[in-house]
Amino acid sequence: MKHFTSVKDVPDLEALVARARAMKARPRAHESLGRGCTLGLFFFNASLRTRLSTERAARNLGLEVSIMDAGRGWQLETEDGVVMDGAAAEHIREAAGVLGRYFDLLGVRTFAGLTDRQADYEERVLQRFIEAGGRPVVSLESATRHPLQSLADLLTIEEHKPVARPRIVLTWAPHPRALPQAVANSFAEWVLAAGYELTIACPEGFELAPEFTKGATLTHDQDAALEGAHFVYAKNWSAWRDYGATAPHRTDWMITPEKMARTEGGRFMHCLPVRRNVVVHEAVLDSAASLVLEQAENRIWAAQAVLFEMLKNLDA
Ligand code: AN0
Ligand code: CP
């Protein structure tokens, strides 16, 4: 595996999940693998989990890690051919090129702008970073995907599924701000690639891009979708069709204990950060049904499995 930007980069999904489980069982078993190798993580946006779990994972593999928070005070130009007489002092081509000279492996987090759908869905920032960096790149969440999150989510489902073929529901939930579709797109893509059936519930107008949801069952009836579910993955996303539109007034879509009661002993999932009593009622988060901390922990083992495969590829 050279780059890790989507499930499409994974040659054997089952083997990668097994690798993550092995890392969890013996975190330090490969602590000399990364010796002498360096990993540079570049964040255009704030992060708690991705930043710290990836650092944890890298250290478990013996990698040296440096992290740059570029969100504040460091504006990069990402478009080609522009006259750079505005706020951005540096172009991504130089910035990523420099990082490629400093590190063996690179990680980058870049959010969707949510104004230009085409630019976001072409992953222009991520692609330019990959081109200019000249090194293997792990996505720490891009405009349209969050593959490390999805791998951790899949691992969590494998660990907690009560039956071989669980009923998995991805449901839209309200949020005051416009958020990307990345987590939801990615969750759908990975769960479907793993061969599970998936139901996606959202208000009208909030359907995800068809390229991510082909094979899933789509519904606008959340209550019906929750009936008999084993996993309820809640997430807000802004609209793909009317790009970036939000619906914070749809408070009727918040996940409550009453809604969870429709499920088949369903477990609650969310990638975090989550807004209590907006996306989900606190009674659900504080209940035994919640898997959110298990998911967050599994971010370490997901990142460690991915970095392990990328390090092996460096040697090859
Ligand atoms: C982001 C999102 O929904 O995409 C990050 C999730 C990992 N969430 C927020 O910005 C609250
Ligand atoms: N779930 C997740 O990626 O969280 P952070 O934004 O804190 O990294």
Side-chain angles (χ1 to χ4, degrees), residues 46-51 109 141 146 149 271-273 299:
S47 162
L48 187 159
R49 281 143 291 270
T50 306
R51 183 189 159 130
R109 165 174 279 199
E141 186 175 3
H146 196 353
Q149 182 66 51
C271 63
L272 305 182
R299 291 292 307 272

Side-chain angles (χ1 to χ4, degrees), residues 115-126:
T115 49
D116 182 342
R117 184 168 89 179
Q118 196 180 339
D120 285 345
Y121 274 72
E122 283 174 4
E123 291 285 7
R124 281 189 201 161
V125 177
L126 177 66

Side-chain angles (χ1 to χ4, degrees), residues 49-50 109 111 141 146 149 175 177 179-183 235-236 271-275 299:
R49 281 143 291 270
T50 306
R109 165 174 279 199
F111 268 13
E141 186 175 3
H146 196 353
Q149 182 66 51
H175 195 280
R177 291 183 46 218
L179 295 180
Q181 297 103 41
V183 170
K235 182 72 185 83
N236 172 264
C271 63
L272 305 182
V274 72
R275 291 188 183 227
R299 291 292 307 272

Side-chain angles (χ1 to χ4, degrees), residues 49-270:
R49 281 143 291 270
T50 306
R51 183 189 159 130
L52 295 173
S53 63
T54 308
E55 181 177 6
R56 210 37 288 129
R59 288 184 193 277
N60 284 346
L61 293 170
L63 276 158
E64 269 180 49
V65 200
S66 298
I67 302 177
M68 174 146 179
D69 273 320
R72 270 167 300 162
W74 201 269
Q75 289 200 40
L76 289 187
E77 179 57 57
T78 56
E79 291 299 312
D80 285 328
V82 292
V83 177
M84 285 177 53
D85 57 359
E90 182 159 18
H91 199 279
I92 191 167
R93 292 200 180 272
E94 281 73 48
V98 169
L99 294 174
R101 300 292 177 103
Y102 293 168
F103 302 103
D104 302 304
L105 298 171
L106 299 176
V108 64
R109 165 174 279 199
T110 160
F111 268 13
L114 295 180
T115 49
D116 182 342
R117 184 168 89 179
Q118 196 180 339
D120 285 345
Y121 274 72
E122 283 174 4
E123 291 285 7
R124 281 189 201 161
V125 177
L126 177 66
Q127 288 311 324
R128 279 178 189 151
F129 192 91
I130 289 173
E131 279 164 40
R135 298 284 186 177
V137 170
V138 52
S139 164
L140 305 170
E141 186 175 3
S142 67
T144 67
R145 292 183 171 93
H146 196 353
L148 285 175
Q149 182 66 51
S150 307
L151 176 55
D153 295 339
L154 203 52
L155 173 59
T156 310
I157 287 172
E158 293 304 329
E159 289 175 329
H160 294 277
K161 62 184 184 186
V163 293
R165 313 232 7 107
R167 288 169 187 238
I168 306 173
V169 176
L170 168 64
T171 177
W172 184 94
H175 195 280
R177 291 183 46 218
L179 295 180
Q181 297 103 41
V183 170
N185 282 344
S186 225
F187 182 75
E189 189 172 56
W190 282 69
V191 161
L192 293 168
Y196 288 119
E197 279 175 32
L198 175 68
T199 299
I200 304 176
C202 65
E204 256 177 80
F206 285 82
E207 298 78 13
L208 295 165
E211 63 182 286
F212 290 98
T213 57
K214 201 165 168 285
T217 305
L218 304 178
T219 175
H220 298 129
D221 185 341
Q222 190 190 46
D223 281 348
L226 294 177
E227 229 39 82
H230 296 110
F231 295 99
V232 178
Y233 197 104
K235 182 72 185 83
N236 172 264
W237 60 86
S238 60
W240 173 77
R241 211 190 300 159
D242 178 12
Y243 198 60
T246 60
H249 57 281
R250 296 303 305 266
T251 53
D252 52 320
W253 280 72
M254 179 173 82
I255 297 296
T256 59
E258 295 71 35
K259 286 187 190 169
M260 290 302 289
R262 294 180 172 273
T263 68
E264 188 68 40
R267 308 301 300 271
F268 177 80
M269 297 180 74
H270 191 282

